[in-house]
Amino acid sequence: MEQAVLDQGAERFGRGSYSLKVLGGFDQNVFEYNGEDGRRFIIKFLDAAKYRKASIIRELTWMAYLAEQGLNMAVSIRSAQDLLIEEVTHDSKRYYVIAFTKAPGNPLTDLTSDFAIVKQWGRGMGKMHKLGKKDATAASLVHRMAFPQWNDHMMFADAFPEGAGQKVHTQWKQYLKELESLPQDQDSYGIVHNDFHHNNFHVHNGELIFFDFGDVSYHWFAYDIAIAIYHAVQTVPENRKAEFVARFFDSFLSGYLEENTLSEEWIQRIPLFLDFRNIYSFVYFSKFVNWNEMDERTRKYLLTMKADIEAGKSVVKLSI
């Protein structure tokens, strides 16, 4: 990203001298702002060619609503012009810029060390899902904001990436057909985070602070649970996955069910959504990442993913 774009965005939200440190994001577009006056916050640059302003408004509105309902959230910051969303332009390219307080605390780096925190994580997701149900009258305004449905993403609209291969394409179509046949009743389907893994919250004094709601959409609640399991299980060696996922799932689900109900029928579908998350991740990388720009480790990882998908191998055996 051009330095001129970074400077414009940072100046809209900060003041005086500052430094920006890249934190990540799929497009390397998330930065930490450190000002000489002691200000520290997170600033995101969103390419207007890829992101719609309406989607960003929905994201910020949903986060504000969750905070009102008692969830610990990273707080949106207003610019010097009292705007939550700024726009900057450079060389005919336009970017939306948003900023948040930096969540105190640290990520949960060792998921095997504290299953009490995993239970809290599940409880937080359960509360979000309860608030995201279409029968939640207090959120009627939120539901009128037209969040995207699960398959509104360009992943589903554009052509399938040839590099993913025909066998993967065949399986992809089978998964989509199965998901399209699932019911979308108010107890199983609603507004979800859609990327609620362990790097999207911090632990601070025993409490969780949530952030990064850029993928929020309507989806099945069981899929959101599967996302948490899918990314958590990637952090442990292969020979420990079965033991880990059993403890993780028990802790996470017990916390979840304290806040939201989910029928046994939908809990039984979580393994389906786990494997869908796996093929979704592979197709996403195949579609949006240049193979020639990947490091060797990433290439090997994706080739292993592809072989497992083609062989019909599940991510992990989850006994329910």
Side-chain angles (χ1 to χ4, degrees):
M1 188 172 293
E2 295 287 342
Q3 188 64 42
V5 173
L6 302 180
D7 288 341
Q8 284 189 66
E11 287 168 1
R12 301 284 178 92
F13 285 93
R15 56 180 181 267
S17 299
Y18 58 85
S19 63
L20 293 180
K21 179 177 73 174
V22 64
L23 295 181
F26 195 80
D27 296 317
Q28 295 295 296
N29 62 329
V30 182
F31 297 80
E32 181 178 342
Y33 175 106
N34 292 289
E36 63 178 2
D37 57 357
R39 298 191 81 196
R40 297 179 68 197
F41 54 82
I42 305 302
I43 186 166
K44 296 174 70 173
F45 295 81
L46 305 169
D47 188 342
K50 299 179 181 178
Y51 295 88
R52 296 174 58 197
K53 192 171 186 177
S55 297
I56 303 170
I57 292 172
R58 285 192 289 263
E59 171 190 354
L60 300 182
T61 302
W62 180 240
M63 291 180 70
Y65 176 70
L66 294 179
E68 287 175 2
Q69 300 305 310
L71 285 150
N72 296 324
M73 308 289 291
V75 179
S76 297
I77 293 175
R78 291 184 177 273
S79 70
Q81 298 299 316
D82 201 32
L83 298 174
L84 289 174
I85 306 172
E86 284 281 358
E87 296 183 29
V88 300
T89 304
H90 179 71
D91 284 346
S92 300
K93 287 198 70 174
R94 186 161 52 96
Y95 295 86
Y96 299 118
V97 188
I98 55 178
F100 302 90
T101 56
K102 183 179 181 182
N106 297 288
L108 180 61
T109 53
D110 185 358
L111 280 76
T112 64
S113 65
D114 195 341
F115 286 96
I117 292 295
V118 172
K119 185 175 181 178
Q120 277 198 62
W121 179 6
R123 189 182 300 125
M125 180 184 285
K127 188 166 185 177
M128 290 180 197
H129 289 180
K130 185 176 182 179
L131 293 168
K133 289 183 175 181
K134 292 181 180 179
D135 66 342
T137 55
S140 59
L141 175 62
V142 172
H143 285 288
R144 288 200 297 269
M145 294 188 70
F147 285 93
Q149 299 296 320
W150 71 276
N151 55 355
D152 283 342
H153 194 277
M154 65 181 70
M155 273 278 292
F156 304 96
D158 295 345
F160 189 83
E162 289 186 9
Q166 185 57 47
K167 289 183 179 179
V168 174
H169 192 193
T170 298
Q171 293 216 33
W172 174 251
K173 289 187 289 186
Q174 290 172 347
Y175 275 108
L176 295 188
K177 183 178 180 180
E178 184 163 4
L179 265 60
E180 287 165 357
S181 72
L182 294 177
Q184 297 180 3
D185 58 86
Q186 64 185 23
D187 291 323
S188 65
Y189 188 86
I191 301 172
V192 304
H193 184 287
N194 205 21
D195 197 28
F196 200 20
H197 54 69
H198 53 280
N199 288 319
N200 280 335
F201 63 84
H202 278 180
V203 182
H204 179 63
N205 294 333
E207 298 289 330
L208 306 190
I209 299 95
F210 307 114
F211 48 83
D212 197 358
F213 284 71
D215 293 317
V216 63
S217 71
Y218 282 107
H219 218 306
W220 288 277
F221 298 138
Y223 178 63
D224 221 23
I225 296 172
I227 289 172
I229 299 169
Y230 176 81
H231 291 281
V233 82
Q234 311 299 322
T235 68
V236 297
E238 190 67 34
N239 62 351
R240 294 178 56 200
K241 283 185 177 181
E243 177 188 0
F244 168 78
V245 77
R247 289 195 64 192
F248 180 94
F249 182 66
D250 181 67
S251 299
F252 191 94
L253 191 63
S254 64
Y256 181 93
L257 294 175
E258 288 180 7
E259 293 288 347
N260 189 44
T261 57
L262 191 67
S263 71
E264 183 64 26
E265 175 187 4
W266 283 102
I267 292 172
Q268 292 289 335
R269 287 191 173 110
I270 291 174
L272 164 69
F273 285 115
L274 266 171
D275 290 333
F276 176 68
R277 180 64 174 186
N278 192 44
I279 193 171
Y280 178 96
S281 298
F282 177 75
V283 173
Y284 194 98
F285 269 90
S286 299
K287 193 177 189 71
F288 297 113
V289 178
N290 188 329
W291 185 270
N292 296 322
E293 295 177 358
M294 297 179 193
D295 57 42
E296 190 61 26
R297 180 184 176 189
T298 303
R299 287 196 197 98
K300 287 182 178 179
Y301 182 77
L302 291 176
L303 286 172
T304 300
M305 281 182 73
K306 182 178 182 180
D308 288 346
I309 292 167
E310 291 178 341
K313 181 181 177 183
S314 292
V315 176
V316 67
K317 297 294 183 183
L318 183 60
S319 299
I320 300 177

